[in-house]
Amino acid sequence: MEQISYEYLHALQRPQLRELFTVNFLFNAGFTFFTTFFAVFLINKFRFTQGDIGTFFAFIGLCFALTQAVIVRILAGKFSEIQIVRISLLVSAVSVFLYFFPNSVLGLYLITPVLAVANGLNFANLTALISKNADASVQGEVLGINSSVSALAMMIPPVLSGYIAAGLKPETPIYVSAAVI
């Protein structure tokens, strides 16, 4: 346990890694706020059934997979990771917020590829940036720490979302998602 704590503190001594861990934490937390209560939003606004929700999230997954398989490779040679992350984080946040505007299911499905592509680019490029900013001798540990940061970021929003939604409105966690991303 002491070794893990030492490695974590050692990794945080690099300003670039601190910043990237923070960005990764906020992105993962924001996206988890979105996924935690988005189904409730779909049920309330569009009267989605369980099957409709499954289909919708499958569509997100398909778009995300295509991004990982095709778009990441295309953009990797043309732009730096930092350029991609800066733009894709903004696009992710705006896309989440845009889900409040459509009055039809078609509108939802038009926004979805934009969000999925931006998130796919975020996941791939944030990890690449963290890897590149770690010394080769501790790269595995730094990526492990990054996984821990991501896991922590995904653990907090479900708990907070329940309180936020109960105290305000069921769609409020989605607003929080856009703000955190």
Side-chain angles (χ1 to χ4, degrees):
M1 188 68 164
E2 276 183 46
Q3 182 68 19
I4 293 171
S5 299
Y6 172 75
E7 290 167 355
Y8 180 72
L9 292 174
H10 180 69
L12 290 178
Q13 289 176 352
R14 293 190 56 135
Q16 301 95 333
L17 287 174
R18 269 195 314 266
E19 183 178 326
L20 290 169
F21 286 152
T22 302
V23 169
N24 189 46
F25 179 87
L26 291 172
F27 170 67
N28 278 290
F31 189 63
T32 304
F33 271 111
F34 171 76
T35 58
T36 300
F37 263 76
F38 198 66
V40 173
F41 172 76
L42 293 173
I43 291 166
N44 286 344
K45 185 167 181 178
F46 296 99
R47 304 290 178 231
F48 268 36
T49 65
Q50 290 177 345
D52 296 333
I53 292 166
T55 300
F56 185 78
F57 278 105
F59 182 64
I60 290 175
L62 178 64
C63 293
F64 186 85
L66 287 172
T67 298
Q68 294 289 313
V70 179
I71 297 173
V72 168
R73 290 180 187 175
I74 292 170
L75 294 180
K78 297 179 181 183
F79 302 96
S80 71
E81 289 93 353
I82 193 72
Q83 290 172 315
I84 293 170
V85 167
R86 283 182 178 150
I87 292 169
S88 61
L89 283 171
L90 178 62
V91 171
S92 289
V94 170
S95 297
V96 168
F97 184 70
L98 287 177
Y99 277 117
F100 287 104
F101 294 103
N103 290 318
S104 71
V105 173
L106 176 63
L108 290 174
Y109 277 95
L110 292 175
I111 297 166
T112 298
V114 177
L115 176 65
V117 167
N119 283 351
L121 292 171
N122 284 328
F123 282 113
N125 287 283
L126 272 171
T127 303
L129 278 170
I130 289 167
S131 177
K132 284 183 175 182
N133 279 281
D135 294 330
S137 62
V138 294
Q139 200 169 47
E141 286 116 21
V142 167
L143 290 174
I145 292 166
N146 185 55
S147 291
S148 296
V149 167
S150 296
L152 179 63
M154 290 182 228
M155 187 176 71
I156 296 169
V159 174
L160 292 179
S161 290
Y163 289 110
I164 292 169
L168 300 170
K169 293 180 179 179
E171 65 270 11
T172 305
I174 302 166
Y175 285 112
V176 172
S177 169
V180 170
I181 292 172

mmCIF file with all atom_site columns, all heavy atoms in Angstrom, residues 6 41 49 71 81 106-107 112 129 136 143 153 163:
data_model
loop_
_atom_site.group_PDB
_atom_site.id
_atom_site.type_symbol
_atom_site.label_atom_id
_atom_site.label_alt_id
_atom_site.label_comp_id
_atom_site.label_asym_id
_atom_site.label_entity_id
_atom_site.label_seq_id
_atom_site.pdbx_PDB_ins_code
_atom_site.Cartn_x
_atom_site.Cartn_y
_atom_site.Cartn_z
_atom_site.occupancy
_atom_site.B_iso_or_equiv
_atom_site.pdbx_formal_charge
_atom_site.auth_seq_id
_atom_site.auth_comp_id
_atom_site.auth_asym_id
_atom_site.auth_atom_id
_atom_site.pdbx_PDB_model_num
ATOM 1   N N   . TYR A 1 6   ? 3.152   6.084  -2.727  1.00 0.00 ? 6   TYR A N   1
ATOM 2   C CA  . TYR A 1 6   ? 4.365   6.778  -3.172  1.00 0.00 ? 6   TYR A CA  1
ATOM 3   C C   . TYR A 1 6   ? 4.315   7.014  -4.685  1.00 0.00 ? 6   TYR A C   1
ATOM 4   O O   . TYR A 1 6   ? 4.614   8.111  -5.148  1.00 0.00 ? 6   TYR A O   1
ATOM 5   C CB  . TYR A 1 6   ? 5.614   5.973  -2.796  1.00 0.00 ? 6   TYR A CB  1
ATOM 6   C CG  . TYR A 1 6   ? 6.869   6.547  -3.410  1.00 0.00 ? 6   TYR A CG  1
ATOM 7   C CD1 . TYR A 1 6   ? 7.436   7.707  -2.889  1.00 0.00 ? 6   TYR A CD1 1
ATOM 8   C CD2 . TYR A 1 6   ? 7.452   5.957  -4.524  1.00 0.00 ? 6   TYR A CD2 1
ATOM 9   C CE1 . TYR A 1 6   ? 8.568   8.257  -3.465  1.00 0.00 ? 6   TYR A CE1 1
ATOM 10  C CE2 . TYR A 1 6   ? 8.579   6.496  -5.109  1.00 0.00 ? 6   TYR A CE2 1
ATOM 11  C CZ  . TYR A 1 6   ? 9.137   7.646  -4.577  1.00 0.00 ? 6   TYR A CZ  1
ATOM 12  O OH  . TYR A 1 6   ? 10.248  8.198  -5.153  1.00 0.00 ? 6   TYR A OH  1
ATOM 13  N N   . PHE A 1 41  ? -34.487 10.921 -18.189 1.00 0.00 ? 41  PHE A N   1
ATOM 14  C CA  . PHE A 1 41  ? -34.824 12.026 -19.089 1.00 0.00 ? 41  PHE A CA  1
ATOM 15  C C   . PHE A 1 41  ? -35.573 11.502 -20.321 1.00 0.00 ? 41  PHE A C   1
ATOM 16  O O   . PHE A 1 41  ? -36.591 12.074 -20.731 1.00 0.00 ? 41  PHE A O   1
ATOM 17  C CB  . PHE A 1 41  ? -33.536 12.751 -19.498 1.00 0.00 ? 41  PHE A CB  1
ATOM 18  C CG  . PHE A 1 41  ? -33.717 13.790 -20.559 1.00 0.00 ? 41  PHE A CG  1
ATOM 19  C CD1 . PHE A 1 41  ? -34.272 15.019 -20.262 1.00 0.00 ? 41  PHE A CD1 1
ATOM 20  C CD2 . PHE A 1 41  ? -33.316 13.539 -21.859 1.00 0.00 ? 41  PHE A CD2 1
ATOM 21  C CE1 . PHE A 1 41  ? -34.436 15.987 -21.248 1.00 0.00 ? 41  PHE A CE1 1
ATOM 22  C CE2 . PHE A 1 41  ? -33.466 14.499 -22.854 1.00 0.00 ? 41  PHE A CE2 1
ATOM 23  C CZ  . PHE A 1 41  ? -34.031 15.720 -22.543 1.00 0.00 ? 41  PHE A CZ  1
ATOM 24  N N   . THR A 1 49  ? -39.525 3.442  -23.794 1.00 0.00 ? 49  THR A N   1
ATOM 25  C CA  . THR A 1 49  ? -39.671 2.179  -23.079 1.00 0.00 ? 49  THR A CA  1
ATOM 26  C C   . THR A 1 49  ? -38.268 1.641  -22.787 1.00 0.00 ? 49  THR A C   1
ATOM 27  O O   . THR A 1 49  ? -37.263 2.205  -23.262 1.00 0.00 ? 49  THR A O   1
ATOM 28  C CB  . THR A 1 49  ? -40.424 1.146  -23.934 1.00 0.00 ? 49  THR A CB  1
ATOM 29  O OG1 . THR A 1 49  ? -39.629 0.837  -25.086 1.00 0.00 ? 49  THR A OG1 1
ATOM 30  C CG2 . THR A 1 49  ? -41.795 1.665  -24.357 1.00 0.00 ? 49  THR A CG2 1
ATOM 31  N N   . ILE A 1 71  ? -12.292 6.925  -36.957 1.00 0.00 ? 71  ILE A N   1
ATOM 32  C CA  . ILE A 1 71  ? -12.063 8.369  -36.864 1.00 0.00 ? 71  ILE A CA  1
ATOM 33  C C   . ILE A 1 71  ? -10.804 8.695  -36.072 1.00 0.00 ? 71  ILE A C   1
ATOM 34  O O   . ILE A 1 71  ? -10.053 9.608  -36.437 1.00 0.00 ? 71  ILE A O   1
ATOM 35  C CB  . ILE A 1 71  ? -13.309 9.085  -36.301 1.00 0.00 ? 71  ILE A CB  1
ATOM 36  C CG1 . ILE A 1 71  ? -14.468 8.882  -37.275 1.00 0.00 ? 71  ILE A CG1 1
ATOM 37  C CG2 . ILE A 1 71  ? -13.047 10.564 -36.070 1.00 0.00 ? 71  ILE A CG2 1
ATOM 38  C CD1 . ILE A 1 71  ? -15.807 9.379  -36.794 1.00 0.00 ? 71  ILE A CD1 1
ATOM 39  N N   . GLU A 1 81  ? -2.751  15.247 -30.020 1.00 0.00 ? 81  GLU A N   1
ATOM 40  C CA  . GLU A 1 81  ? -3.719  14.800 -29.018 1.00 0.00 ? 81  GLU A CA  1
ATOM 41  C C   . GLU A 1 81  ? -4.318  15.978 -28.264 1.00 0.00 ? 81  GLU A C   1
ATOM 42  O O   . GLU A 1 81  ? -5.516  16.008 -28.003 1.00 0.00 ? 81  GLU A O   1
ATOM 43  C CB  . GLU A 1 81  ? -3.074  13.836 -28.008 1.00 0.00 ? 81  GLU A CB  1
ATOM 44  C CG  . GLU A 1 81  ? -2.740  12.480 -28.554 1.00 0.00 ? 81  GLU A CG  1
ATOM 45  C CD  . GLU A 1 81  ? -1.317  12.378 -29.067 1.00 0.00 ? 81  GLU A CD  1
ATOM 46  O OE1 . GLU A 1 81  ? -0.605  13.421 -29.111 1.00 0.00 ? 81  GLU A OE1 1
ATOM 47  O OE2 . GLU A 1 81  ? -0.914  11.271 -29.436 1.00 0.00 ? 81  GLU A OE2 1
ATOM 48  N N   . LEU A 1 106 ? -36.089 11.775 -33.476 1.00 0.00 ? 106 LEU A N   1
ATOM 49  C CA  . LEU A 1 106 ? -35.130 11.982 -34.561 1.00 0.00 ? 106 LEU A CA  1
ATOM 50  C C   . LEU A 1 106 ? -34.070 13.007 -34.159 1.00 0.00 ? 106 LEU A C   1
ATOM 51  O O   . LEU A 1 106 ? -32.876 12.821 -34.428 1.00 0.00 ? 106 LEU A O   1
ATOM 52  C CB  . LEU A 1 106 ? -35.847 12.435 -35.839 1.00 0.00 ? 106 LEU A CB  1
ATOM 53  C CG  . LEU A 1 106 ? -34.933 12.774 -37.019 1.00 0.00 ? 106 LEU A CG  1
ATOM 54  C CD1 . LEU A 1 106 ? -34.143 11.539 -37.463 1.00 0.00 ? 106 LEU A CD1 1
ATOM 55  C CD2 . LEU A 1 106 ? -35.754 13.331 -38.174 1.00 0.00 ? 106 LEU A CD2 1
ATOM 56  N N   . GLY A 1 107 ? -34.492 14.071 -33.495 1.00 0.00 ? 107 GLY A N   1
ATOM 57  C CA  . GLY A 1 107 ? -33.541 15.078 -33.017 1.00 0.00 ? 107 GLY A CA  1
ATOM 58  C C   . GLY A 1 107 ? -32.501 14.485 -32.087 1.00 0.00 ? 107 GLY A C   1
ATOM 59  O O   . GLY A 1 107 ? -31.322 14.831 -32.145 1.00 0.00 ? 107 GLY A O   1
ATOM 60  N N   . THR A 1 112 ? -26.672 12.352 -31.293 1.00 0.00 ? 112 THR A N   1
ATOM 61  C CA  . THR A 1 112 ? -25.926 11.223 -30.739 1.00 0.00 ? 112 THR A CA  1
ATOM 62  C C   . THR A 1 112 ? -24.585 10.950 -31.422 1.00 0.00 ? 112 THR A C   1
ATOM 63  O O   . THR A 1 112 ? -23.581 10.754 -30.732 1.00 0.00 ? 112 THR A O   1
ATOM 64  C CB  . THR A 1 112 ? -26.817 9.966  -30.727 1.00 0.00 ? 112 THR A CB  1
ATOM 65  O OG1 . THR A 1 112 ? -27.926 10.256 -29.870 1.00 0.00 ? 112 THR A OG1 1
ATOM 66  C CG2 . THR A 1 112 ? -26.082 8.761  -30.208 1.00 0.00 ? 112 THR A CG2 1
ATOM 67  N N   . LEU A 1 129 ? -2.259  11.071 -24.192 1.00 0.00 ? 129 LEU A N   1
ATOM 68  C CA  . LEU A 1 129 ? -1.543  12.197 -23.582 1.00 0.00 ? 129 LEU A CA  1
ATOM 69  C C   . LEU A 1 129 ? -0.922  11.811 -22.240 1.00 0.00 ? 129 LEU A C   1
ATOM 70  O O   . LEU A 1 129 ? 0.217   12.181 -21.940 1.00 0.00 ? 129 LEU A O   1
ATOM 71  C CB  . LEU A 1 129 ? -2.485  13.384 -23.377 1.00 0.00 ? 129 LEU A CB  1
ATOM 72  C CG  . LEU A 1 129 ? -2.729  14.274 -24.576 1.00 0.00 ? 129 LEU A CG  1
ATOM 73  C CD1 . LEU A 1 129 ? -3.865  15.244 -24.297 1.00 0.00 ? 129 LEU A CD1 1
ATOM 74  C CD2 . LEU A 1 129 ? -1.468  15.029 -24.941 1.00 0.00 ? 129 LEU A CD2 1
ATOM 75  N N   . ALA A 1 136 ? 9.082   6.643  -19.169 1.00 0.00 ? 136 ALA A N   1
ATOM 76  C CA  . ALA A 1 136 ? 8.968   5.246  -19.625 1.00 0.00 ? 136 ALA A CA  1
ATOM 77  C C   . ALA A 1 136 ? 9.063   4.260  -18.462 1.00 0.00 ? 136 ALA A C   1
ATOM 78  O O   . ALA A 1 136 ? 8.399   3.227  -18.465 1.00 0.00 ? 136 ALA A O   1
ATOM 79  C CB  . ALA A 1 136 ? 10.037  4.948  -20.668 1.00 0.00 ? 136 ALA A CB  1
ATOM 80  N N   . LEU A 1 143 ? -0.476  4.840  -15.931 1.00 0.00 ? 143 LEU A N   1
ATOM 81  C CA  . LEU A 1 143 ? -1.725  4.428  -16.580 1.00 0.00 ? 143 LEU A CA  1
ATOM 82  C C   . LEU A 1 143 ? -2.641  3.713  -15.589 1.00 0.00 ? 143 LEU A C   1
ATOM 83  O O   . LEU A 1 143 ? -3.870  3.845  -15.665 1.00 0.00 ? 143 LEU A O   1
ATOM 84  C CB  . LEU A 1 143 ? -1.436  3.556  -17.794 1.00 0.00 ? 143 LEU A CB  1
ATOM 85  C CG  . LEU A 1 143 ? -0.803  4.315  -18.970 1.00 0.00 ? 143 LEU A CG  1
ATOM 86  C CD1 . LEU A 1 143 ? -0.407  3.355  -20.083 1.00 0.00 ? 143 LEU A CD1 1
ATOM 87  C CD2 . LEU A 1 143 ? -1.728  5.398  -19.492 1.00 0.00 ? 143 LEU A CD2 1
ATOM 88  N N   . ALA A 1 153 ? -13.917 8.754  -10.554 1.00 0.00 ? 153 ALA A N   1
ATOM 89  C CA  . ALA A 1 153 ? -14.795 9.716  -11.221 1.00 0.00 ? 153 ALA A CA  1
ATOM 90  C C   . ALA A 1 153 ? -16.132 9.093  -11.584 1.00 0.00 ? 153 ALA A C   1
ATOM 91  O O   . ALA A 1 153 ? -17.154 9.769  -11.591 1.00 0.00 ? 153 ALA A O   1
ATOM 92  C CB  . ALA A 1 153 ? -14.117 10.262 -12.476 1.00 0.00 ? 153 ALA A CB  1
ATOM 93  N N   . TYR A 1 163 ? -29.309 12.541 -5.278  1.00 0.00 ? 163 TYR A N   1
ATOM 94  C CA  . TYR A 1 163 ? -29.644 13.682 -4.423  1.00 0.00 ? 163 TYR A CA  1
ATOM 95  C C   . TYR A 1 163 ? -29.996 14.916 -5.251  1.00 0.00 ? 163 TYR A C   1
ATOM 96  O O   . TYR A 1 163 ? -30.944 15.641 -4.932  1.00 0.00 ? 163 TYR A O   1
ATOM 97  C CB  . TYR A 1 163 ? -28.479 14.007 -3.488  1.00 0.00 ? 163 TYR A CB  1
ATOM 98  C CG  . TYR A 1 163 ? -28.281 12.978 -2.413  1.00 0.00 ? 163 TYR A CG  1
ATOM 99  C CD1 . TYR A 1 163 ? -27.170 12.139 -2.429  1.00 0.00 ? 163 TYR A CD1 1
ATOM 100 C CD2 . TYR A 1 163 ? -29.198 12.812 -1.381  1.00 0.00 ? 163 TYR A CD2 1
ATOM 101 C CE1 . TYR A 1 163 ? -26.980 11.176 -1.445  1.00 0.00 ? 163 TYR A CE1 1
ATOM 102 C CE2 . TYR A 1 163 ? -29.028 11.857 -0.392  1.00 0.00 ? 163 TYR A CE2 1
ATOM 103 C CZ  . TYR A 1 163 ? -27.909 11.044 -0.434  1.00 0.00 ? 163 TYR A CZ  1
ATOM 104 O OH  . TYR A 1 163 ? -27.741 10.096 0.539   1.00 0.00 ? 163 TYR A OH  1
#
